[in-house]
Structures are given as C-alpha cells and as structure tokens.
Amino acid sequence: MNLQQLFKSHELMENHIKTVSNLDEDMLGRDNLFDLRFLALQVKIGELAKCYKYARVRDNLPKEKLMIRYIDAMKFLLSIGIINDFNIINFDSIKGTEENSNIIKVFSNIFEYINEVRDLSRRNIYFDSLSAYMKLFAEFIKLAKYLGLTMDEVYDKYQSMVCEITQSC
C-alpha cells in the first residue's frame, strides 16, 4: 500500500468535492475548519467504536460496513495530514505502540493522539505534532487489524471510491 498515493488521491477527491459543491472555505473560517476536521475524525472513530460492546465485535456487523466506517474515518485522518503538511510520511516511518494492546486500548490511544495532534498543531509545534500524527496513524492501522481489515483491502476500496467520486480513473 502506498501512503503517498492515498494522500494524493484524497487531495484530488477533496478538490473535486469543493469544486462540485462550490464550497467557500473562507466563509467557514480557517479555525472552524481546523476544529471541524478533528471533531469529524473523533465522531467517525466513535462510530467505529460503537461496533463493540464489552470488547466484542457485534456478530451481525458485515465486514463491508466496517470497511466503510473505517474509510470514513480515514478520510478525515488524511485531510488532517494534508492541511498540516504531514503528508510526507510513509509506512516505513510509522512506528506502532506496544503490540500487546487490545481494541479498547487502541480506541483510547486514537482519541488521545487526536487531541495531541490538534493541540500541538494549533500551537504550530510542527515536529512534535508530526510525531503525534505518526503515532495516531500507527494506531489507526492497528485498529484495522482488530476490525479484521487488511490495509491492502482498505487501500483498494478507498481508491475505487475516489475513482467513483471523481470519475478520473
């Protein structure tokens, strides 16, 4: 999976949506958009977390539905990376936290790192916020494993969604 291509594809999709929707980001306000991206990521992660009750996957939740929810969250993670110039990272640079964690710990870590990235980015502490973003991305990848998703599946599904939306494939 090519992380750089994911960032490029997401940027293409965002630009297409802005053009089609005639969205004026200046009217929304830079600070509002900054906070909105982080809030949206938290909401989407929360929707994924609702799939669990006492650390067990609901048996009736199809893998396709988990994939869509995961990708919805990933869109905001990528968007945050793009607006903060974190799109320089690659999979080799992402270091995960301890492997003996569980899904509850992964969700908790993700929420903590979202807040850390937001706070450090707001204070323009680039290298620390980049480091926190890399930890956030590592936890997000770990979450896919707990959900039974491979990053190759996620990448392929995401790319097909971008092609469908932008009609540029």
PDB file of all heavy atoms in Angstrom, residues 52-68:
ATOM      1  N   TYR A  52     -18.544  -2.165  19.031  1.00  0.00           N
ATOM      2  CA  TYR A  52     -18.060  -3.043  20.093  1.00  0.00           C
ATOM      3  C   TYR A  52     -18.875  -2.860  21.345  1.00  0.00           C
ATOM      4  O   TYR A  52     -19.269  -1.765  21.710  1.00  0.00           O
ATOM      5  CB  TYR A  52     -16.586  -2.758  20.386  1.00  0.00           C
ATOM      6  CG  TYR A  52     -15.762  -3.238  19.240  1.00  0.00           C
ATOM      7  CD1 TYR A  52     -15.565  -2.444  18.130  1.00  0.00           C
ATOM      8  CD2 TYR A  52     -15.261  -4.523  19.239  1.00  0.00           C
ATOM      9  CE1 TYR A  52     -14.869  -2.909  17.038  1.00  0.00           C
ATOM     10  CE2 TYR A  52     -14.564  -4.994  18.156  1.00  0.00           C
ATOM     11  CZ  TYR A  52     -14.376  -4.188  17.064  1.00  0.00           C
ATOM     12  OH  TYR A  52     -13.708  -4.664  15.992  1.00  0.00           O
ATOM     13  N   LYS A  53     -19.124  -3.963  21.992  1.00  0.00           N
ATOM     14  CA  LYS A  53     -19.802  -3.926  23.279  1.00  0.00           C
ATOM     15  C   LYS A  53     -19.019  -4.872  24.174  1.00  0.00           C
ATOM     16  O   LYS A  53     -18.944  -6.075  23.913  1.00  0.00           O
ATOM     17  CB  LYS A  53     -21.244  -4.391  23.137  1.00  0.00           C
ATOM     18  CG  LYS A  53     -22.036  -4.273  24.413  1.00  0.00           C
ATOM     19  CD  LYS A  53     -23.493  -4.601  24.174  1.00  0.00           C
ATOM     20  CE  LYS A  53     -24.253  -4.407  25.457  1.00  0.00           C
ATOM     21  NZ  LYS A  53     -25.667  -4.664  25.259  1.00  0.00           N
ATOM     22  N   TYR A  54     -18.395  -4.317  25.181  1.00  0.00           N
ATOM     23  CA  TYR A  54     -17.557  -5.107  26.079  1.00  0.00           C
ATOM     24  C   TYR A  54     -16.482  -5.874  25.302  1.00  0.00           C
ATOM     25  O   TYR A  54     -16.283  -7.061  25.492  1.00  0.00           O
ATOM     26  CB  TYR A  54     -18.396  -6.027  26.956  1.00  0.00           C
ATOM     27  CG  TYR A  54     -19.414  -5.273  27.748  1.00  0.00           C
ATOM     28  CD1 TYR A  54     -20.761  -5.360  27.451  1.00  0.00           C
ATOM     29  CD2 TYR A  54     -19.006  -4.426  28.775  1.00  0.00           C
ATOM     30  CE1 TYR A  54     -21.693  -4.633  28.172  1.00  0.00           C
ATOM     31  CE2 TYR A  54     -19.926  -3.686  29.486  1.00  0.00           C
ATOM     32  CZ  TYR A  54     -21.264  -3.796  29.191  1.00  0.00           C
ATOM     33  OH  TYR A  54     -22.186  -3.064  29.890  1.00  0.00           O
ATOM     34  N   ALA A  55     -15.844  -5.162  24.380  1.00  0.00           N
ATOM     35  CA  ALA A  55     -14.686  -5.656  23.622  1.00  0.00           C
ATOM     36  C   ALA A  55     -14.999  -6.816  22.697  1.00  0.00           C
ATOM     37  O   ALA A  55     -14.111  -7.555  22.317  1.00  0.00           O
ATOM     38  CB  ALA A  55     -13.536  -6.025  24.567  1.00  0.00           C
ATOM     39  N   ARG A  56     -16.258  -6.950  22.305  1.00  0.00           N
ATOM     40  CA  ARG A  56     -16.601  -7.992  21.335  1.00  0.00           C
ATOM     41  C   ARG A  56     -17.250  -7.352  20.121  1.00  0.00           C
ATOM     42  O   ARG A  56     -18.107  -6.484  20.251  1.00  0.00           O
ATOM     43  CB  ARG A  56     -17.581  -8.987  21.942  1.00  0.00           C
ATOM     44  CG  ARG A  56     -16.953  -9.858  22.980  1.00  0.00           C
ATOM     45  CD  ARG A  56     -17.834 -11.036  23.324  1.00  0.00           C
ATOM     46  NE  ARG A  56     -19.228 -10.794  23.068  1.00  0.00           N
ATOM     47  CZ  ARG A  56     -20.211 -11.128  23.875  1.00  0.00           C
ATOM     48  NH1 ARG A  56     -19.950 -11.706  25.014  1.00  0.00           N
ATOM     49  NH2 ARG A  56     -21.464 -10.890  23.559  1.00  0.00           N
ATOM     50  N   VAL A  57     -16.864  -7.815  18.959  1.00  0.00           N
ATOM     51  CA  VAL A  57     -17.493  -7.326  17.739  1.00  0.00           C
ATOM     52  C   VAL A  57     -18.917  -7.839  17.708  1.00  0.00           C
ATOM     53  O   VAL A  57     -19.175  -8.988  18.032  1.00  0.00           O
ATOM     54  CB  VAL A  57     -16.743  -7.853  16.484  1.00  0.00           C
ATOM     55  CG1 VAL A  57     -17.444  -7.394  15.225  1.00  0.00           C
ATOM     56  CG2 VAL A  57     -15.301  -7.399  16.492  1.00  0.00           C
ATOM     57  N   ARG A  58     -19.830  -6.958  17.328  1.00  0.00           N
ATOM     58  CA  ARG A  58     -21.192  -7.428  17.132  1.00  0.00           C
ATOM     59  C   ARG A  58     -21.168  -8.422  15.986  1.00  0.00           C
ATOM     60  O   ARG A  58     -20.634  -8.144  14.917  1.00  0.00           O
ATOM     61  CB  ARG A  58     -22.120  -6.264  16.784  1.00  0.00           C
ATOM     62  CG  ARG A  58     -22.465  -5.442  17.994  1.00  0.00           C
ATOM     63  CD  ARG A  58     -23.686  -4.638  17.714  1.00  0.00           C
ATOM     64  NE  ARG A  58     -23.264  -3.270  17.431  1.00  0.00           N
ATOM     65  CZ  ARG A  58     -23.980  -2.393  16.752  1.00  0.00           C
ATOM     66  NH1 ARG A  58     -25.127  -2.715  16.254  1.00  0.00           N
ATOM     67  NH2 ARG A  58     -23.531  -1.186  16.561  1.00  0.00           N
ATOM     68  N   ASP A  59     -21.733  -9.583  16.218  1.00  0.00           N
ATOM     69  CA  ASP A  59     -21.680 -10.654  15.232  1.00  0.00           C
ATOM     70  C   ASP A  59     -22.381 -10.313  13.922  1.00  0.00           C
ATOM     71  O   ASP A  59     -22.021 -10.808  12.879  1.00  0.00           O
ATOM     72  CB  ASP A  59     -22.301 -11.938  15.811  1.00  0.00           C
ATOM     73  CG  ASP A  59     -21.503 -12.474  16.976  1.00  0.00           C
ATOM     74  OD1 ASP A  59     -20.283 -12.234  17.011  1.00  0.00           O
ATOM     75  OD2 ASP A  59     -22.106 -13.128  17.841  1.00  0.00           O
ATOM     76  N   ASN A  60     -23.360  -9.444  13.981  1.00  0.00           N
ATOM     77  CA  ASN A  60     -24.161  -9.181  12.803  1.00  0.00           C
ATOM     78  C   ASN A  60     -23.659  -8.019  11.952  1.00  0.00           C
ATOM     79  O   ASN A  60     -24.322  -7.619  11.008  1.00  0.00           O
ATOM     80  CB  ASN A  60     -25.622  -8.920  13.210  1.00  0.00           C
ATOM     81  CG  ASN A  60     -25.749  -7.725  14.140  1.00  0.00           C
ATOM     82  OD1 ASN A  60     -24.755  -7.184  14.595  1.00  0.00           O
ATOM     83  ND2 ASN A  60     -26.979  -7.330  14.423  1.00  0.00           N
ATOM     84  N   LEU A  61     -22.508  -7.458  12.262  1.00  0.00           N
ATOM     85  CA  LEU A  61     -21.992  -6.326  11.501  1.00  0.00           C
ATOM     86  C   LEU A  61     -21.137  -6.824  10.338  1.00  0.00           C
ATOM     87  O   LEU A  61     -20.080  -7.416  10.552  1.00  0.00           O
ATOM     88  CB  LEU A  61     -21.177  -5.416  12.412  1.00  0.00           C
ATOM     89  CG  LEU A  61     -20.940  -4.015  11.909  1.00  0.00           C
ATOM     90  CD1 LEU A  61     -22.260  -3.288  11.662  1.00  0.00           C
ATOM     91  CD2 LEU A  61     -20.134  -3.230  12.914  1.00  0.00           C
ATOM     92  N   PRO A  62     -21.598  -6.598   9.104  1.00  0.00           N
ATOM     93  CA  PRO A  62     -20.840  -7.085   7.949  1.00  0.00           C
ATOM     94  C   PRO A  62     -19.493  -6.373   7.796  1.00  0.00           C
ATOM     95  O   PRO A  62     -19.354  -5.201   8.148  1.00  0.00           O
ATOM     96  CB  PRO A  62     -21.740  -6.765   6.760  1.00  0.00           C
ATOM     97  CG  PRO A  62     -23.012  -6.232   7.294  1.00  0.00           C
ATOM     98  CD  PRO A  62     -22.823  -5.925   8.742  1.00  0.00           C
ATOM     99  N   LYS A  63     -18.541  -7.107   7.260  1.00  0.00           N
ATOM    100  CA  LYS A  63     -17.198  -6.558   7.062  1.00  0.00           C
ATOM    101  C   LYS A  63     -17.244  -5.319   6.172  1.00  0.00           C
ATOM    102  O   LYS A  63     -16.518  -4.358   6.403  1.00  0.00           O
ATOM    103  CB  LYS A  63     -16.288  -7.628   6.441  1.00  0.00           C
ATOM    104  CG  LYS A  63     -14.855  -7.199   6.303  1.00  0.00           C
ATOM    105  CD  LYS A  63     -14.001  -8.338   5.788  1.00  0.00           C
ATOM    106  CE  LYS A  63     -12.553  -7.921   5.699  1.00  0.00           C
ATOM    107  NZ  LYS A  63     -11.679  -9.033   5.311  1.00  0.00           N
ATOM    108  N   GLU A  64     -18.119  -5.331   5.183  1.00  0.00           N
ATOM    109  CA  GLU A  64     -18.243  -4.190   4.270  1.00  0.00           C
ATOM    110  C   GLU A  64     -18.651  -2.918   5.024  1.00  0.00           C
ATOM    111  O   GLU A  64     -18.148  -1.837   4.748  1.00  0.00           O
ATOM    112  CB  GLU A  64     -19.254  -4.500   3.165  1.00  0.00           C
ATOM    113  CG  GLU A  64     -19.404  -3.407   2.134  1.00  0.00           C
ATOM    114  CD  GLU A  64     -18.185  -3.198   1.258  1.00  0.00           C
ATOM    115  OE1 GLU A  64     -17.305  -4.089   1.183  1.00  0.00           O
ATOM    116  OE2 GLU A  64     -18.105  -2.132   0.625  1.00  0.00           O
ATOM    117  N   LYS A  65     -19.523  -3.059   5.991  1.00  0.00           N
ATOM    118  CA  LYS A  65     -19.959  -1.909   6.789  1.00  0.00           C
ATOM    119  C   LYS A  65     -18.806  -1.385   7.647  1.00  0.00           C
ATOM    120  O   LYS A  65     -18.620  -0.173   7.771  1.00  0.00           O
ATOM    121  CB  LYS A  65     -21.155  -2.281   7.660  1.00  0.00           C
ATOM    122  CG  LYS A  65     -21.822  -1.099   8.300  1.00  0.00           C
ATOM    123  CD  LYS A  65     -23.150  -1.472   8.914  1.00  0.00           C
ATOM    124  CE  LYS A  65     -23.870  -0.231   9.390  1.00  0.00           C
ATOM    125  NZ  LYS A  65     -25.213  -0.513   9.843  1.00  0.00           N
ATOM    126  N   LEU A  66     -18.036  -2.296   8.239  1.00  0.00           N
ATOM    127  CA  LEU A  66     -16.849  -1.880   8.994  1.00  0.00           C
ATOM    128  C   LEU A  66     -15.865  -1.153   8.088  1.00  0.00           C
ATOM    129  O   LEU A  66     -15.275  -0.142   8.478  1.00  0.00           O
ATOM    130  CB  LEU A  66     -16.165  -3.093   9.622  1.00  0.00           C
ATOM    131  CG  LEU A  66     -16.773  -3.653  10.891  1.00  0.00           C
ATOM    132  CD1 LEU A  66     -16.085  -4.954  11.273  1.00  0.00           C
ATOM    133  CD2 LEU A  66     -16.696  -2.658  12.022  1.00  0.00           C
ATOM    134  N   MET A  67     -15.698  -1.678   6.877  1.00  0.00           N
ATOM    135  CA  MET A  67     -14.769  -1.070   5.914  1.00  0.00           C
ATOM    136  C   MET A  67     -15.199   0.361   5.591  1.00  0.00           C
ATOM    137  O   MET A  67     -14.364   1.275   5.597  1.00  0.00           O
ATOM    138  CB  MET A  67     -14.726  -1.909   4.635  1.00  0.00           C
ATOM    139  CG  MET A  67     -13.906  -1.312   3.520  1.00  0.00           C
ATOM    140  SD  MET A  67     -12.148  -1.537   3.723  1.00  0.00           S
ATOM    141  CE  MET A  67     -12.005  -3.267   3.334  1.00  0.00           C
ATOM    142  N   ILE A  68     -16.470   0.564   5.335  1.00  0.00           N
ATOM    143  CA  ILE A  68     -16.970   1.900   5.001  1.00  0.00           C
ATOM    144  C   ILE A  68     -16.764   2.857   6.174  1.00  0.00           C
ATOM    145  O   ILE A  68     -16.308   3.995   6.001  1.00  0.00           O
ATOM    146  CB  ILE A  68     -18.456   1.850   4.591  1.00  0.00           C
ATOM    147  CG1 ILE A  68     -18.645   1.021   3.316  1.00  0.00           C
ATOM    148  CG2 ILE A  68     -19.042   3.249   4.422  1.00  0.00           C
ATOM    149  CD1 ILE A  68     -17.899   1.527   2.103  1.00  0.00           C
TER     150      ILE A  68
END
